[in-house]
Amino acid sequence: AQSVTQLGSHVSVSEGALVLLRCNYSSSVPPYLFWYVQYPNQGLQLLLKYTTGATLVKGINGFEAEFKKSETSFHLTKPSAHMSDAAEYFCAVSENPADGLTFGKGTHLIIQP
Amino acid sequence: GAVVSQHPSRVICKSGTSVKIECRSLDFQATTMFWYRQFPKQSLMLMATSNEGSKATYEQGVEKDKFLINHASLTLSTLTVTSAHPEDSSFYICSASGQGGYNEQFFGPGTRLTVL
């Protein structure tokens, strides 16, 4: 069975500082990995995904994530935080393109002015 | 990009009644639709997967007789919560896939169900 662990239910950074949201996964086969963002009372928006190929994946809004198989990690980063980045972030994994996703518990990102 | 809508966005019902939630893919044909449930300040849990024209596949622990899923067309799936109880109150989110390559799921905005 697959699972996702997101370290830190809340992360607070200052505006302009580096954003680092941690995600570790377990999967018995090469995984498909995703990061989604959710704003209050809204659905999920895909930030980026890893399927195959290049392990450094660039997404929307300046976010990127690196797939590290040896560490079973897929951490999300952004060089400079913006107030509009405040939201809930979910890491998700899938072992098969036809399957639903297994989500982590989410990390609430707080941006301090 | 692909757009998925849900209707209604919010619904309040009395205990014991049934509620239907619609999920539509507006600009693409969705061969597969997924239904998730999200409790307050928690993650999304997959409830079921439905393929157009087939019976839905439910995750372990999800009552198929309580959460009826129909995927009668390539653009519409419905989730009916039968005999709703307060513990069914939750945020229900659907997603649809059918284009975009590897497991590209497009999520709807969600439906907030409150059972009194």
Side-chain angles (χ1 to χ4, degrees):
Chain A
Q2 56 200 4
S3 66
V4 176
T5 302
Q6 289 184 241
L7 289 176
S9 60
H10 291 76
V11 170
S12 180
V13 302
S14 299
E15 189 175 18
L18 172 71
V19 175
L20 171 61
L21 304 183
R22 300 178 185 275
C23 172
N24 289 89
Y25 70 91
S26 69
S27 175
S28 58
V29 301
Y32 300 86
L33 295 160
F34 307 82
W35 274 100
Y36 288 88
V37 60
Q38 184 181 35
Y39 296 100
N41 298 313
Q42 294 187 29
L44 275 71
Q45 181 181 9
L46 179 67
L47 280 176
L48 49 79
K49 63 180 179 182
Y50 169 79
T51 54
T52 59
T55 56
L56 183 61
V57 181
K58 294 186 183 298
I60 62 171
N61 301 338
F63 285 94
E64 62 182 36
E66 185 172 11
F67 168 58
K68 292 187 176 181
K69 183 178 178 180
S70 62
E71 298 178 8
T72 60
S73 69
F74 191 56
H75 301 331
L76 181 70
T77 61
K78 181 174 180 177
S80 177
H82 192 272
M83 294 300 291
S84 61
D85 294 327
E88 193 79 19
Y89 291 79
F90 293 97
C91 181
V93 65
S94 176
E95 294 182 349
N96 186 307
D99 292 346
L101 302 179
T102 298
F103 285 86
K105 292 188 175 182
T107 297
H108 185 65
L109 178 61
I110 301 163
I111 310 297
Q112 305 278 7
Chain B
V3 179
V4 175
S5 70
Q6 282 185 242
H7 178 79
S9 57
R10 292 176 180 269
V11 57
I12 301 173
C13 69
K14 293 183 178 180
S15 183
T17 61
S18 294
V19 174
K20 180 184 285 189
I21 302 170
E22 292 186 347
C23 176
R24 293 182 183 273
S25 57
L26 299 185
D27 51 4
F28 69 102
Q29 293 186 322
T31 52
T32 305
M33 286 186 170
F34 304 88
W35 286 95
Y36 296 84
R37 182 174 182 178
Q38 184 180 28
F39 289 104
K41 300 188 184 302
Q42 294 189 31
S43 187
L44 285 78
M45 299 294 292
L46 179 65
M47 298 175 65
T49 302
S50 72
N51 293 297
E52 186 266 338
S54 303
K55 287 186 178 180
T57 301
Y58 291 81
E59 296 298 303
Q60 193 171 11
V62 177
E63 300 176 58
K64 63 177 69 176
D65 293 332
K66 181 167 189 61
F67 298 100
L68 301 179
I69 292 171
N70 183 280
H71 191 171
S73 78
L74 285 172
T75 59
L76 174 64
S77 175
T78 60
L79 168 67
T80 302
V81 183
T82 62
S83 187
H85 291 282
E87 57 266 30
D88 298 324
S89 298
S90 190
F91 196 47
Y92 293 89
I93 301 174
C94 75
S95 70
S97 67
Q99 68 176 45
Y102 302 102
N103 201 21
E104 182 76 63
Q105 289 187 37
F106 299 94
F107 284 80
T111 296
R112 173 83 53 197
L113 170 63
T114 303
V115 185
L116 302 176

